[in-house]
Amino acid sequence: MNTLCKRTISGAVYLIVLVGCILLGKFSFLAVMLLFCGVMLHEFMKMTMGDEYKVSQTLTIITGISYFSLLWAVRAFPQITAEFVYLAIIPLMAVMINSLYVKDKGDFGKFANVYTALFYIAIPMSINIFLVMDKFGEYSGWLLICFFIIIWCSDIGAYIFGMAFGQKIGGKLFPSISPKKSWVGFWGGFALAIIASVVMYFTGLWQYAGLEEFTLGHAVALAGLMDVAGVYGDLFESQWKRHYEVKDSGNIIPGHGGLLDRLDSTIFAVPIGVLYLSLFKYITTL
């Protein structure tokens, strides 16, 4: 019961902070996303590199939050040209130059985790910016909230159906990486994600979020694609944790683990969702 209470309270605080900052405005969105991005980069490098190469780890976090901040600034203030984002290459080059001074050249391969962290976390997290701001700098957090609703419903459906039926019927989804995940849980999450998107369509939430011409077919297709992408995001992080023999990426959220554990699905699902909306001209990313 103590564990359940801890998970419930910490989960509620996490949701309140995240949703509140997204809806409050572009500056609170920036603040919470920089915090999340920095923490996740730290968790990933802590898991893969331990306490080694602290300078390189710090420079990597600076690079990640610099890229996010610069892309946010270009989107938030249209008078700033896109070339401004190129400044993010300065801390990135510092990371590369710093690797030249590694004393043990046989350990050089560990620096691959530095670059993986940027491509795996910083760049996908930055794509969130295109959901909350248009090319004129107008801000609304509702579309990103709609995305999170799909991802959360997918997780809830997978957990409920997986716990209730997954151990009794059907096979394992990916036993070599995540033994507890089942096909029943996958389909449960898939169904609940689509139901959530359909409900948002009929209640007008998609339209309120700025997708005035959004059709029911697109609502179903988007949710389905995001669900599948989110499952792969979860499995991808599980593979890293299994390789490095850790249970959680961190302990920042009591009872839940690290931020990377909570947002592993988002890292894959949001970019796929943005790509889908961009292809059908519902949003612009340029």
Side-chain angles (χ1 to χ4, degrees), residues 126-272:
S126 299
I127 293 176
N128 287 309
I129 294 171
F130 297 114
L131 288 175
V132 299
M133 281 188 286
D134 62 21
K135 62 182 180 180
F136 304 108
E138 295 297 321
Y139 180 89
S140 172
W142 281 105
L143 188 53
L144 182 55
I145 294 299
C146 290
F147 270 43
F148 274 121
I149 289 173
I150 289 175
I151 295 167
W152 292 332
C153 286
S154 172
D155 290 342
I156 292 169
Y159 178 79
I160 292 175
F161 282 90
M163 289 293 292
F165 308 108
Q167 308 305 316
K168 302 173 184 177
I169 58 176
K172 299 296 182 181
L173 179 63
F174 224 121
S176 62
I177 294 177
S178 187
K180 292 184 178 180
K181 286 184 172 58
S182 65
W183 278 105
V184 173
F186 168 79
W187 289 114
F190 186 84
L192 195 58
I194 290 178
I195 290 171
S197 187
V198 170
V199 169
M200 288 191 288
Y201 173 82
F202 282 111
T203 58
L205 188 54
W206 282 119
Q207 292 77 11
Y208 182 75
L211 305 183
E212 289 86 359
E213 305 299 325
F214 206 49
T215 66
L216 179 59
H218 281 307
V220 172
L222 176 64
L225 287 172
M226 287 182 60
D227 173 83
V228 173
V231 170
Y232 276 114
D234 193 327
L235 290 170
F236 185 70
E237 197 228 359
S238 295
Q239 182 171 247
W240 283 97
K241 291 192 293 185
R242 179 167 288 271
H243 178 75
Y244 287 98
E245 299 180 341
V246 297
K247 183 179 183 296
D248 298 313
S249 65
N251 55 11
I252 192 171
I253 307 176
H256 289 267
L259 274 178
L260 187 55
D261 296 322
R262 302 281 63 80
L263 293 171
D264 52 2
S265 300
T266 303
I267 291 172
F268 275 42
V270 167
I272 291 298

Side-chain angles (χ1 to χ4, degrees), residues 11-27:
V13 171
Y14 162 76
L15 287 178
I16 291 170
V17 171
L18 177 60
V19 173
C21 288
I22 290 173
L23 294 180
L24 193 59
K26 64 175 70 175
F27 292 101

Side-chain angles (χ1 to χ4, degrees), residues 42-90:
H42 169 72
E43 289 177 348
F44 181 82
M45 290 185 291
K46 179 75 173 178
M47 176 173 60
T48 59
M49 302 175 71
D51 294 324
E52 299 179 286
Y53 312 115
K54 286 291 189 180
V55 173
S56 292
Q57 291 191 38
T58 301
L59 288 172
T60 301
I61 294 173
I62 293 173
T63 301
I65 63 177
S66 296
Y67 176 76
F68 191 103
S69 300
L70 292 168
L71 187 60
W72 174 89
V74 168
R75 199 70 172 179
F77 304 103
Q79 63 269 31
I80 300 177
T81 62
E83 288 78 11
F84 193 59
V85 179
Y86 296 158
L87 291 173
I89 202 170
I90 296 175

